[in-house]
């Protein structure tokens, strides 16, 4: 294509039919898995008021500072944003429709997310997540259940090289004293901070721990640990999450640097990663966010959730040699002549009534060229109709793998085809 403006937006991918088959398969596996834990589907708009994300994700974060697709609605001036993640919208929807306070909710959603990042392997500007949120549950049992769920999905997908990192962010008192210690510690080493870290020193020092800058890693490794500030309740919660994981033989590593730099995140945080995808190794991340419901304007309610990146998971399946058989066609219908054409349309619908996957030849052409299409389609049988057959209300059925062609009445067609494609 010569006109560059007629290409997809940079960082946003087309998913072509061969690849889309893997997506369909994955989505089905994921839905079955979510339903097996009692999660119910919820669907939110792709566009939300910008203020929702500013408030829910926080002003001093990579996402809000530099990754959001925000724009003004040219018709009424509303400030809008393409969703960069789903948690904020999900909580907004639950509050708006008053779903939460009678019974806790286990919810999931899936679909496109948008972040204006530098596109590279495993990092796109439009990407897809499955998001899972449990609202109204306070105990460590649900945190552990969500982690066990993930382990089960990896097993269903045949993924072996994924490992779990776990941390706790404690409660707000612990975070406040930790925050003060971080500011003092990084403040003493200001000459070693990069621009992001300098900016965050007072606004969001916890986030400095999350920096990917190699030059700052030694400094970060020696920083004060939140783990040393934990109160009794948070410690007990964390111990119980770990005990459940151990009972279910799910291995994990505690990583004190695993953080979410926002005040409403608390206690459990976790991330699943793989070494098979280079720098973009995080496939799933989540944790507890007991402060968010109140922040978005609801009565306080505990919550915990996670999101997984579909592109990265599917890339991992490809790395592991996952290949799907092509979407199958049972029957290709070839026909020539006006009467035959009418009968062809009728028998194609009849076979579909009987749950067969049928390609009806369209566009005319000789029997020979139509049979070539039948071959290329991968169909296991061809139904052949000439005017001769049509006059007698009969059709010929030919097994594509070789074997005798058989002429049958329309009535006996489905049974014969079923015999041939077995
Ligand atoms: P990263 O550290 O890789 O930027 P993140 O912390 O921004 O990830 P989350 O907001 O926790 O990611 O999103 C959950 C998951 O969504 C990630 O673990 C990843 O698999 C996927 N993800 C996030 N951003 C992208 C992106 N730009 N392209 C593809 N997948 C993404
Ligand atoms: Mg990111």
């Amino acid at each position: 294509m010569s006109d560059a403006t007629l290409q997809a937006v940079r960082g946003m991918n087309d998913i072509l039919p061969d690849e889309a088959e893997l997506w369909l398969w994955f989505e089905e596996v994921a839905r079955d898995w979510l339903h097996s834990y009692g999660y119910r589907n919820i669907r939110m708009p792709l566009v939300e008021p910008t203020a929702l994300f500013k408030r829910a994700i926080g002003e001093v974060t990579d996402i809000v500072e530099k990754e959001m697709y925000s724009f003004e609605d040219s018709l009424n001036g509303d400030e809008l944003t393409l969703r960069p993640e789903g948690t904020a919208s999900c909580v907004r929807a639950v509050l708006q429709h008053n779903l939460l306070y009678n019974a806790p909710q286990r919810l999931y959603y899936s679909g496109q997310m948008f972040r204006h990042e530098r596109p590279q392997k495993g990092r796109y500007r439009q990407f897809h997540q499955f998001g899972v949120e449990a609202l109204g549950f306070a105990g460590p049992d649900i945190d552990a259940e969500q982690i066990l769920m993930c382990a089960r999905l990896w097993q269903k997908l045949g993924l072996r090289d994924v490992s779990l990192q776990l941390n706790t962010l404690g409660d707000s008192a612990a975070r406040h004293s930790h925050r003060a210690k971080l500011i003092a510690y990084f403040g003493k080493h200001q000459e070693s901070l990069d621009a992001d870290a300098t900016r965050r020193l007072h606004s969001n020092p916890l986030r400095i721990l999350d920096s990917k800058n190699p030059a700052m890693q030694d400094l970060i490794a020696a920083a004060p640990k939140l783990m040393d500030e934990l109160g009794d309740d948070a410690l007990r919660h964390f111990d119980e999450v770990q005990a459940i994981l151990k009972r279910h033989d799910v291995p994990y590593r505690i990583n004190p640097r695993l953080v979410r730099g926002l005040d409403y995140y608390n206690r459990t945080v976790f991330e699943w990663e793989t070494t098979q995808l280079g720098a973009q190794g995080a496939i799933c991340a989540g944790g507890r966010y007991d402060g968010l419901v109140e922040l978005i304007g609801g009565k306080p309610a505990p919550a915990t959730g996670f999101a997984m990146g579909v592109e990265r998971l599917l890339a991992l399946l490809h790395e592991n040699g996952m290949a799907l058989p092509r979407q199958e066609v049972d029957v290709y219908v070839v026909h020539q002549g006006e009467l035959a054409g009418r009968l062809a349309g009728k028998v194609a619908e009849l076979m579909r009534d009987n749950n067969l996957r049928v390609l009806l030849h369209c566009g005319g052409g000789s029997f020979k060229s139509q049979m070539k299409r039948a071959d290329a389609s991968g169909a296991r049988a061809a139904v052949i109709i000439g005017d001769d057959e049509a006059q007698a209300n009969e059709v010929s059925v030919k097994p594509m793998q070789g074997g005798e062609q058989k002429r049958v009445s329309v009535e006996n067609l489905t049974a014969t085809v079923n015999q041939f494609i077995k």
Side-chain angles (χ1 to χ4, degrees):
M1 225 189 300
S2 59
D3 189 343
T5 61
L6 294 182
Q7 306 230 337
V9 174
R10 188 163 126 79
M12 305 202 182
N13 300 315
D14 297 309
I15 299 163
L16 303 180
D18 281 345
E19 182 64 10
E21 287 183 13
L22 187 63
W23 282 73
L24 286 171
W25 173 83
F26 172 77
E27 285 158 1
E28 204 174 298
V29 170
R31 270 199 295 272
D32 286 348
W33 158 74
L34 287 158
H35 296 166
S36 81
Y37 283 86
Y39 279 79
R40 300 181 69 206
N41 189 225
I42 182 167
R43 297 171 186 233
M44 300 82 64
L46 297 190
V47 177
E48 295 275 1
T50 301
L52 173 68
F53 300 115
K54 284 198 175 160
R55 203 185 312 170
I57 301 173
E59 304 259 5
V60 194
T61 54
D62 281 349
I63 292 181
V64 173
E65 279 180 342
K66 48 194 180 196
E67 296 175 0
M68 293 212 300
Y69 280 92
S70 297
F71 56 96
E72 192 185 296
D73 184 326
S74 62
L75 297 178
N76 62 9
D78 287 353
E79 297 291 337
L80 303 176
T81 293
L82 296 181
R83 65 179 185 191
E85 54 106 57
T87 303
S89 317
C90 181
V91 171
R92 194 246 339 116
V94 161
L95 292 176
Q96 182 174 337
H97 302 285
N98 209 12
L99 294 188
L100 182 54
Y101 300 105
N102 294 322
Q105 297 282 337
R106 284 177 165 92
L107 302 172
Y108 76 92
Y109 47 83
S110 64
Q112 287 92 332
M113 306 294 161
F114 302 86
R115 297 184 193 176
H116 200 282
E117 306 195 63
R118 190 169 69 77
Q120 51 197 294
K121 185 170 174 263
R123 190 175 294 286
Y124 308 104
R125 290 180 174 174
Q126 177 187 261
F127 62 99
H128 298 71
Q129 287 182 338
F130 265 80
V132 179
E133 319 286 354
L135 303 166
F137 298 91
D141 45 0
I142 194 87
D143 307 30
E145 185 186 86
Q146 290 196 333
I147 296 172
L148 294 178
M149 280 175 79
C150 295
R152 178 180 294 276
L153 181 64
W154 314 147
Q155 194 191 20
K156 270 176 185 278
L157 296 172
L159 303 178
R160 260 159 271 111
D161 171 50
V162 279
S163 57
L164 172 62
Q165 296 191 27
L166 191 65
N167 192 20
T168 177
L169 300 180
D171 294 320
S172 65
R175 277 201 311 285
H176 279 112
S177 62
H178 181 235
R179 183 190 151 92
K181 288 187 181 167
L182 282 180
I183 293 176
Y185 170 80
F186 286 121
K188 266 195 310 204
H189 298 278
Q190 290 211 29
E191 73 293 343
S192 315
L193 302 181
D194 63 14
D196 272 344
T198 305
R199 199 156 28 84
R200 285 171 185 176
L201 178 57
H202 291 279
S203 56
N204 199 349
L206 198 59
R207 264 285 169 185
I208 300 178
L209 300 179
D210 200 22
S211 163
K212 290 173 180 132
N213 182 352
M216 288 188 12
Q217 297 309 306
D218 287 347
L219 184 66
I220 288 170
K225 307 249 178 313
L226 208 162
M227 204 70 84
D228 299 333
E229 313 283 329
L230 291 187
D232 288 347
D233 288 348
L235 258 178
R236 227 176 294 120
H237 188 103
F238 194 43
D239 284 345
E240 184 56 20
V241 172
Q242 293 181 66
I244 299 172
L245 295 182
K246 285 187 181 131
R247 279 209 292 283
H248 289 267
D249 293 321
V250 174
Y252 60 88
R253 183 169 73 80
I254 292 181
N255 176 1
R257 289 185 42 199
L258 188 63
V259 296
R260 310 239 136 186
L262 300 168
D263 246 17
Y264 63 82
Y265 281 112
N266 63 322
R267 300 198 175 180
T268 316
V269 281
F270 64 89
E271 190 160 296
W272 292 90
E273 51 168 31
T274 170
T275 52
Q276 288 184 307
L277 296 177
Q280 271 57 253
I283 54 171
C284 175
R288 182 162 279 284
Y289 53 93
D290 291 340
L292 182 61
V293 171
E294 189 177 15
L295 193 72
I296 297 186
K299 265 189 297 167
T304 173
F306 63 89
M308 46 194 196
V310 180
E311 280 80 359
R312 292 187 194 175
L313 271 170
L314 296 189
L316 195 52
L317 287 173
H318 280 299
E319 280 301 313
N320 289 325
M322 168 88 184
L324 282 184
R326 211 187 131 159
Q327 185 180 319
E328 285 176 14
V329 178
D330 296 317
V331 185
Y332 196 99
V333 182
V334 309
H335 53 94
Q336 199 164 49
E338 200 186 319
L339 200 57
R342 270 183 245 156
L343 183 59
K346 202 171 107 189
V347 299
E349 289 300 326
L350 185 81
M351 287 188 285
R352 292 180 189 121
D353 288 342
N354 289 283
N355 297 321
L356 290 165
R357 290 162 292 192
V358 181
L359 260 176
L360 174 62
H361 182 82
C362 291
S366 67
F367 268 129
K368 195 172 158 209
S369 67
Q370 293 190 33
M371 283 308 288
K372 271 196 192 149
R373 290 277 182 86
D375 244 339
S377 75
R380 285 177 291 170
V383 165
I384 303 163
I385 313 173
D387 274 340
D388 181 36
E389 278 100 345
Q391 300 275 1
N393 206 34
E394 291 181 343
V395 303
S396 295
V397 187
K398 181 179 156 71
M400 296 301 290
Q401 257 81 318
E404 278 295 290
Q405 182 167 319
K406 197 167 159 188
R407 188 158 160 165
V408 297
S409 66
V410 168
E411 226 166 51
N412 291 328
L413 170 61
T414 304
T416 310
V417 166
N418 274 324
Q419 242 170 38
F420 278 14
I421 68 175
K422 244 204 304 227

